[in-house]
């Protein structure tokens, strides 16, 4: 289930309390005759409770992006005829999970089949064919409420945050989704992630954020009110720190392949990795490999590392 915390008179945070790790913060927006959910990755029982609490139906779910913890229950909403709206190209990934895995960088069919089995059988993910696509940045008006999508690519190509509130009020809730406001920080563990775009998105969100009038919120963690404003600098510092760790590791060992660098404590903690097994371990290894590769490419552009293409080994310059 979830714990409901009103953020403004129109927007309530549904902090999901399920035991599974694949969950995210959900926003319920009171649009008068209908309730709209943002990142409404809720089970059928949880949607029942929203409708009972408000005494009105949930009409629409706006999705932020197609990552497991944001979409593995969306089929429950779709099955009830609730409209599912998703930014491009995330909608295409929701319709066809194979497309997500190809874009994420899983090139071999066997790798993708194992992952699809895990996502479907273990995590309950089902593709949602009825999803409607919109252009990131699109704005919607429903019952006197404005829901504005804010394109924040980098974490995923179509990754969107949302600004939601009444047309007549300056107070808004600003959901920045997986930009990294929580303790974990930024995440860019798929091939389609883009570190330069990620840095620009942090800047875009920071520029849009009005600490006086916005309740700021990430998809994981607690909301930020004027008395505890969100810290975008900390997200940037976390990214920089990972880059510095990778550079320091290369300086120490001379040269290494991405595989040699992965799972050595540069990104995920060895303790966390040690608790995983089977497909989960493979998944984390895959994510960390991609993360390190994004940093190596950035460091290469800054002429701090070089790649020996023949041996596929990376080394620090100078
Ligand atoms: Zn995500």
């Amino acid at each position: 289930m979830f714990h409901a915390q009103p953020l403004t008179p129109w927007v309530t945070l549904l902090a999901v309390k399920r035991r599974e790790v694949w969950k995210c913060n959900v926003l319920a927006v009171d649009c008068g005759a209908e309730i709209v959910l943002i990142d409404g990755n809720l089970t059928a029982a949880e949607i029942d409770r929203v409708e009972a609490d408000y005494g009105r139906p949930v009409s629409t779910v706006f999705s932020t992006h197609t990552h497991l913890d944001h979409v593995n229950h969306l089929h429950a909403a779709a099955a009830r005829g609730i409209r599912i709206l998703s930014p491009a190209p995330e909608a295409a990934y929701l319709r066809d999970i194979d497309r997500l895995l190809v874009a994420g960088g899983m090139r071999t069919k066997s790798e993708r089949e194992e992952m699809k089995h895990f996502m479907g059988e273990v995590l309950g993910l089902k593709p949602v064919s009825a999803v409607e696509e919109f252009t990131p940045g699109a704005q919607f008006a429903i019952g006197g409420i404005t829901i504005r999508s804010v394109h924040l690519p980098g974490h995923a190509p179509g990754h969107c945050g949302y600004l939601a509130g009444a047309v007549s009020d300056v107070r808004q809730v600003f959901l920045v989704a997986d930009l990294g406001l929580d303790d974990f920080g930024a995440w860019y563990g798929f091939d389609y992630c883009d570190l330069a775009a990620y840095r620009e998105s942090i800047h875009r969100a920071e520029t849009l954020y009005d600490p006086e009038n916005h309740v700021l919120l990430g998809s994981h963690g607690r909301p930020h009110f004027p008395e505890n404003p969100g810290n975008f600098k900390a997200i940037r510092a976390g990214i920089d720190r990972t880059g510095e760790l990778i550079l320091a590791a290369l300086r120490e060992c001379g040269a290494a392949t991405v595989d040699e660098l992965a799972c050595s404590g540069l990104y995920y903690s060895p303790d966390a990795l040690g608790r995983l097994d089977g497909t989960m371990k493979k998944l984390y290894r895959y994510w960390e490999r991609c993360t390190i590769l994004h940093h190596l490419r950035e460091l290469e552009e800054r002429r701090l590392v070089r790649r020996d293409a023949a041996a596929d080994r990376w080394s620090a310059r100078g």
Side-chain angles (χ1 to χ4, degrees):
M1 262 317 147
F2 53 79
H3 169 73
Q5 179 185 3
L7 302 178
T8 66
W10 301 275
V11 184
T12 295
L13 164 62
L14 309 181
V16 175
K17 299 293 177 197
R18 255 178 264 132
R19 284 171 71 96
E20 63 171 343
V21 295
W22 311 96
K23 59 192 172 197
C24 63
N25 283 331
V26 175
L27 293 178
V29 188
D30 186 341
C31 295
E34 57 195 276
I35 304 304
V36 167
L37 301 178
I38 300 180
D39 246 359
N41 187 28
L42 298 180
T43 63
E46 288 162 346
I47 297 171
D48 282 343
R49 180 163 147 215
V50 175
E51 296 190 334
D53 284 357
Y54 281 94
R56 281 163 284 156
V58 171
S59 67
T60 311
V61 172
F62 286 92
S63 179
T64 57
H65 64 300
T66 302
H67 279 175
L68 269 175
D69 47 340
H70 298 255
V71 301
N72 66 328
H73 295 290
L74 273 191
H75 57 86
R80 300 161 79 114
I82 294 172
R83 273 180 91 191
I84 312 286
L85 288 156
S86 169
E90 305 302 314
Y93 303 150
L94 193 52
R95 273 184 219 116
D96 180 359
I97 303 302
D98 205 55
R99 249 175 110 159
L100 169 70
L101 298 177
V102 169
M106 293 190 179
R107 307 274 182 246
T108 69
K109 198 166 165 40
S110 65
E111 201 176 15
R112 296 201 300 276
E113 288 307 317
E114 179 183 350
M115 208 48 67
K116 271 196 286 188
H117 175 79
F118 175 70
M119 291 157 97
E121 299 299 317
V122 183
L123 308 175
L125 178 75
K126 289 181 194 164
V128 178
S129 55
V131 60
E132 296 171 44
E133 182 175 283
F134 65 84
T135 304
Q139 188 164 309
F140 305 83
I142 307 170
I145 301 290
T146 304
I147 295 172
R148 171 184 168 192
S149 66
V150 179
H151 194 198
L152 302 171
H155 176 75
H159 179 251
C160 275
Y162 289 91
L163 270 163
V167 177
S168 57
D169 197 313
V170 288
R171 278 176 298 172
Q172 303 269 312
V173 173
F174 187 12
L175 174 74
V176 293
D178 278 349
L179 195 65
L181 266 186
D182 54 297
D183 293 342
F184 187 80
W187 189 95
Y188 32 95
F190 269 141
D191 199 38
Y192 71 19
C193 299
D194 182 327
L195 212 37
Y198 211 124
R199 290 181 186 280
E200 281 170 31
S201 292
I202 296 168
H203 178 73
R204 183 172 308 131
E206 193 176 25
T207 307
L208 264 174
Y209 175 42
D210 170 2
E212 297 281 302
N213 294 305
H214 290 169
V215 178
L216 182 70
L217 181 70
S219 288
H220 310 278
R222 293 168 196 278
H224 297 267
F225 294 96
E227 58 275 19
N228 68 327
N231 187 352
F232 292 94
K233 285 189 184 70
I235 309 177
R236 236 178 254 123
I239 298 175
D240 291 343
R241 199 162 47 241
T242 305
E244 283 155 19
L245 280 174
I246 292 167
L247 189 56
L250 282 181
R251 286 202 170 117
E252 201 178 307
C253 72
T257 63
V258 176
D259 279 321
E260 286 162 353
L261 292 171
C263 298
S264 61
L266 290 170
Y267 190 66
Y268 291 117
S269 79
D271 275 3
L273 292 168
R275 285 195 292 271
L276 303 170
D277 54 17
T279 307
M280 280 293 275
K281 196 164 204 137
K282 279 190 193 169
L283 197 54
Y284 272 71
R285 186 174 179 82
Y286 177 79
W287 286 337
E288 180 151 339
R289 217 182 159 280
C290 285
T291 303
I292 290 172
L293 205 46
H294 286 304
H295 275 288
L296 288 170
R297 287 176 187 143
E298 189 182 67
L299 291 165
E300 188 181 33
E301 221 160 88
R302 292 171 58 201
R303 304 188 59 76
L304 291 169
V305 304
R306 67 160 64 87
R307 176 171 167 258
D308 172 353
D312 199 17
R313 293 179 82 76
W314 296 79
S315 57
R317 279 175 179 265

